[in-house]
């Protein structure tokens, strides 16, 4: 699996698919359903990047099915978020509206699981990406509703790496509605959040 991921980063998609195929065989033999689901999703992503959207869609369907059979957990919620993002990306690049509907279904599933296990960070990403899809579809009222839900969840989770995404998204949506004052306030909040992340990771780094 890690070798496949490395080959995807190197844009060696054929080699990545060979590694994922081997890993899938081993995961199935070991009876590891969680890893199998993740490998289906990783294979789909590699196929999408290799320009094979139909096959990517088939593997995403397999990943969805296996994740749906697993119990509620952070890993399962995140798995559905990963599936949703891949469906959305492939749908946009390949011009497949059906994939957008599958992306929505995946994010809704992720949000439901995250709510049940009280995983605020996963709720933030699932709701935020739902807002993104609604924004792309021109459904700004729905987009605002999901984006605000994502903001609240990110604040509750204390997750600035998620929070700034939805602050900027809120700014775009408010600007599109003509609410320039609200948009400016959201953008400023996003800048402040980004600055806090930079300070956290820069700090006083000394080399001895």
């Amino acid at each position: 699996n890690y070798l496949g991921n490395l080959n995807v980063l190197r844009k060696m998609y054929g080699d990545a698919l060979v590694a994922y195929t081997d890993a899938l065989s081993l995961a199935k033999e070991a009876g590891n359903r969680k890893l199998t689901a993740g490998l289906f999703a990783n294979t789909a992503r590699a196929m999408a990047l290799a320009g094979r959207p139909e096959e990517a869609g088939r593997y995403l369907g397999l990943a969805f099915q296996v994740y749906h059979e697993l119990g509620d957990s952070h890993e399962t919620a995140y798995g559905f978020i990963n599936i949703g993002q891949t469906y959305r990306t492939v749908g946009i690049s390949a011009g497949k509206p059906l994939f957008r509907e599958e992306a929505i279904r995946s994010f809704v599933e992720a949000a439901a699981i995250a709510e049940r296990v009280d995983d605020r960070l996963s709720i933030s990403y699932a709701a935020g990406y739902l807002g993104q899809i609604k924004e792309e579809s021109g459904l700004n009222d729905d987009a605002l509703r999901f984006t605000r839900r994502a903001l609240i969840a990110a604040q509750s989770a204390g997750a600035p790496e998620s929070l700034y995404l939805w602050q900027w998204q809120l700014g775009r949506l408010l600007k599109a509605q003509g609410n320039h004052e609200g948009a400016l306030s959201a953008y400023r909040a996003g800048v402040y959040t980004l600055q806090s992340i930079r300070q956290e990771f820069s700090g006083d780094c000394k080399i001895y």
Side-chain angles (χ1 to χ4, degrees):
N1 186 34
Y2 291 142
L3 179 60
N5 293 343
L6 179 62
N7 283 327
V8 166
L9 289 173
R10 291 173 171 172
K11 299 185 179 181
M12 299 167 60
Y13 304 127
D15 290 342
L17 289 169
V18 170
Y20 289 143
T21 299
D22 290 343
L24 268 169
S25 178
L26 292 168
K28 289 177 180 177
E29 185 179 334
N32 191 326
R33 301 280 287 163
K34 188 178 293 184
L35 181 56
T36 298
L39 281 162
F40 280 144
N42 286 345
T43 301
R45 183 164 56 95
M47 285 181 166
L49 291 168
R52 297 159 62 178
E54 296 294 342
E55 291 168 278
R58 184 166 66 85
Y59 273 89
L60 285 170
L62 291 171
F64 190 103
Q65 180 181 339
V66 177
Y67 274 124
H68 191 68
E69 294 167 357
L70 295 174
D72 292 347
S73 68
H74 164 76
E75 290 80 10
T76 307
Y78 190 79
F80 278 112
I81 291 170
N82 184 31
I83 292 171
Q85 276 294 78
T86 307
Y87 264 128
R88 175 181 166 270
T89 302
V90 178
I92 291 172
S93 62
K96 292 184 175 296
L98 178 61
F99 280 14
R100 176 167 292 191
E101 296 305 313
E102 292 298 330
I104 291 171
R105 188 163 73 107
S106 300
F107 292 138
V108 168
E109 188 75 18
I113 292 170
E115 286 280 4
R116 289 195 291 270
V117 300
D118 195 27
D119 182 351
R120 300 284 106 187
L121 184 58
S122 292
I123 292 170
S124 170
Y125 281 112
Y129 289 140
L130 278 168
Q132 192 176 61
I133 288 181
K134 297 299 183 180
E135 180 187 9
E136 291 165 353
S137 303
L139 302 171
N140 276 23
D141 288 343
D142 287 344
L144 275 169
R145 178 165 55 86
F146 284 118
T147 301
R148 287 189 170 116
R149 182 182 177 193
L151 273 166
I152 292 169
Q155 289 168 337
S156 176
E161 72 280 8
S162 169
L163 178 60
Y164 86 91
L165 295 173
W166 319 130
Q167 288 169 329
W168 280 92
Q169 188 161 292
L170 178 63
R172 288 197 310 270
L173 291 164
L174 292 174
K175 182 181 177 182
Q177 287 190 338
N179 184 350
H180 299 292
E181 185 176 342
L184 185 59
S185 177
Y187 285 138
R188 283 174 175 160
V191 170
Y192 178 82
T193 302
L194 274 175
Q195 287 175 339
S196 73
I197 296 173
R198 287 178 182 173
Q199 289 168 2
E200 180 181 345
F201 286 100
S202 60
D204 271 341
C205 219
K206 297 179 181 178
I207 300 175
Y208 296 95

